[in-house]
Amino acid sequence: MIKRFFAHEGEVDWSIIFVVMMLALIGLASLYVAGTHDTVGVNVTRMVIMQAAYYFAGIVVVMIIMRFDSEQLWRVAPYIFGFGVFLMLAVLVFYSRAYYARTGGMWFAFGPLTFQPAEFMKPAFIVMLARAISQHNLNNPVHDWRSDKMLLLKIIAWSAPVVVLVLAQHDFGTMMVFLAIVFGMTLVSGLSWKILGPIMGVAGALGTTAILFVTQTWGRHILEKVGFEAYQFARVDAWLKPSGDTSNSAYQLWQSMKAIGSGGLSGTGFNVSHVAVPVRESDMIFSVIGENFGFVGSILLLILYFLLIYQIFQVVYDTSNQFYAYIAAGVVMMLLFHIFENIGMNIGLVPLTGIPLPFISQGGSALVGNMIGIGLIMSMRFHNRSFSLSERQGFS
């Protein structure tokens, strides 16, 4: 059956599949350890089986998406983007009140299953923004001040509604992911450095100002008026001084750092845990790897991520497809930000934001969202043909 499915066209990039499957095995093993030692009142076997089921669903999604070539992706981009916006609007009204009271997140709930529409929106947004950039560059082959200004306005126009909808859900971490995607795709869009330079300068100034506001009492009063909540300030305090209040706001970070530190060079061994870490199965899953497999295991995990990113770049280079290249830039930035933010918050490098570790952390929405990204990359290799937008003006 699988051979019949793939026989019709191009080749399958088994190197990417291998890396993702290795990450899946590490994720399931880490989830089992977290559930065994740190999760209270949860059936560990059921939790691991559910995660494996999400992996299976993700594989099915990959097999479907990779059947779409660049022309078909171009055509469906506005529809999937529109559907994503619809879900983001719908969740503001039909979110699970019980889940919101427990976690503060606006998610759909269907019995025991939950769904975060922002995870679907990430790849949908990437494809739509890639189309917008590609279309602009097709219509403006020569970049000048006027065309660059128009391209920047188009990027802002497509990005602003998504960022606003995420902010309306009080999900600052996910908003940062979208901003990272926009930043990465803008860098490769062809904009002149005369425009990119000031943009990066403004971004740096805004970041510095944000740090000033969250660390000063007067600044926090202002941020409270625009929607920031007490728990977000508590996360910043825990980040700045993780040993300051280890029984309250900084407890999770402090325990994560203790667990990783106790792993030493080679770790305590599989399923040997001496430090309890809250929410270890999702946000703090890296602490399992750091404790059980130590520095060596953590480095091996980073090598797997490096291989995945490298293979994505290799696929783009081999296909020489501008539209695909912008999609790949978005997928890479999405993955890189998740990796940096999750590992960074586990070791105290950045504040806690609830960002999952790709292919490792528990959660069906995030996992399937990442698998959609992999499906988009697999599509490039599967169809493996250059695609000149100038030859396809008919499907804009």
Side-chain angles (χ1 to χ4, degrees), residues 88 116-126 129 159 162-163 166-167 171-186 329-342 345 351 353-358 366 369-370:
M88 297 280 282
Q116 184 183 23
E119 296 298 339
F120 170 82
M121 191 65 207
K122 290 174 187 175
F125 173 69
I126 288 170
L129 191 58
S159 307
V162 178
V163 173
V166 174
L167 281 177
D171 194 342
F172 182 76
T174 300
M175 184 202 70
M176 294 299 294
V177 177
F178 278 103
L179 290 179
I181 292 171
V182 173
F183 177 75
M185 297 181 71
T186 301
V331 172
V332 166
M333 285 304 299
M334 177 180 71
L335 294 175
L336 282 179
F337 188 84
H338 274 260
I339 295 165
F340 171 79
E341 178 64 29
N342 183 276
M345 71 184 187
T353 55
I355 298 295
L357 189 61
N370 288 328

Side-chain angles (χ1 to χ4, degrees), residues 125 129 132-133 136 144-161 182 186 189 191 195 199:
F125 173 69
L129 191 58
I133 295 171
H136 176 88
D144 54 25
W145 170 254
R146 175 186 165 280
S147 67
D148 280 359
K149 183 176 68 175
M150 289 302 299
L151 176 56
L152 181 60
L153 289 175
K154 289 176 183 178
I155 292 173
I156 294 173
W158 285 109
S159 307
V182 173
T186 301
S189 66
L191 281 176
I195 292 180
I199 290 175

Side-chain angles (χ1 to χ4, degrees), residues 22-322:
M22 289 296 295
L23 291 171
L25 291 175
I26 294 173
L28 292 174
S30 301
L31 187 60
Y32 175 79
V33 174
T36 301
H37 294 278
D38 298 320
T39 306
V40 180
V42 173
N43 186 317
V44 178
T45 303
R46 181 181 180 278
M47 184 170 63
V48 174
I49 291 175
M50 282 295 297
Q51 187 74 353
Y54 284 127
Y55 274 113
F56 179 77
I59 292 171
V60 173
V61 168
V62 169
M63 293 173 67
I64 293 172
I65 292 177
M66 66 186 292
R67 302 294 296 188
F68 287 77
D69 62 19
S70 50
E71 181 173 343
Q72 292 167 327
L73 288 172
W74 178 281
R75 290 184 183 278
V76 302
Y79 301 103
I80 60 176
F81 179 82
F83 182 62
V85 171
F86 169 76
L87 291 177
M88 297 280 282
L89 287 169
V91 78
L92 295 175
V93 179
F94 301 106
Y95 67 92
S96 169
R97 270 58 179 178
Y99 188 85
Y100 181 79
R102 190 169 71 253
T103 67
M106 289 185 175
W107 290 32
F108 292 116
F110 309 95
L113 301 178
T114 56
F115 171 64
Q116 184 183 23
E119 296 298 339
F120 170 82
M121 191 65 207
K122 290 174 187 175
F125 173 69
I126 288 170
V127 175
M128 188 64 240
L129 191 58
R131 171 179 158 137
I133 295 171
S134 300
Q135 184 67 70
H136 176 88
N137 288 337
L138 166 64
N139 297 332
N140 300 272
V142 178
H143 282 263
D144 54 25
W145 170 254
R146 175 186 165 280
S147 67
D148 280 359
K149 183 176 68 175
M150 289 302 299
L151 176 56
L152 181 60
L153 289 175
K154 289 176 183 178
I155 292 173
I156 294 173
W158 285 109
S159 307
V162 178
V163 173
V164 170
L165 287 171
V166 174
L167 281 177
Q169 299 172 27
H170 309 290
D171 194 342
F172 182 76
T174 300
M175 184 202 70
M176 294 299 294
V177 177
F178 278 103
L179 290 179
I181 292 171
V182 173
F183 177 75
M185 297 181 71
T186 301
L187 280 181
V188 300
S189 66
L191 281 176
S192 168
W193 278 99
K194 292 180 180 179
I195 292 180
L196 287 176
I199 290 175
M200 295 178 69
V202 170
L206 289 175
T208 303
T209 303
I211 293 174
L212 178 64
F213 270 59
V214 298
T215 55
Q216 301 297 320
T217 303
W218 59 267
R220 293 190 174 190
H221 289 319
I222 296 174
L223 292 175
E224 286 174 353
K225 294 179 180 178
V226 296
F228 279 75
E229 299 183 19
Y231 78 91
Q232 293 172 317
F233 296 130
R235 288 179 173 181
V236 174
D237 293 335
W239 168 55
L240 293 174
K241 195 175 182 182
S243 60
D245 185 8
T246 57
S247 64
N248 194 8
S249 59
Y251 178 74
Q252 186 180 35
L253 173 58
W254 185 248
Q255 292 298 103
S256 174
M257 294 171 66
K258 283 173 60 178
I260 294 171
S262 69
L265 181 63
S266 57
T268 57
F270 177 68
N271 206 23
V272 178
S273 180
H274 305 297
V275 182
V277 183
V279 201
R280 204 174 200 181
E281 68 278 5
S282 55
D283 298 348
M284 316 307 288
I285 196 73
F286 183 74
S287 66
V288 174
I289 298 168
E291 182 180 20
N292 277 198
F293 306 108
F295 179 78
V296 173
S298 301
I299 291 297
L300 289 176
L301 175 67
L302 292 177
I303 290 174
L304 285 175
Y305 280 129
F306 171 80
L307 290 175
L308 179 61
I309 301 300
Y310 171 79
Q311 288 159 356
I312 291 174
F313 282 126
Q314 188 63 51
V315 169
V316 176
Y317 177 80
D318 291 343
T319 55
S320 303
N321 182 318
Q322 184 184 158

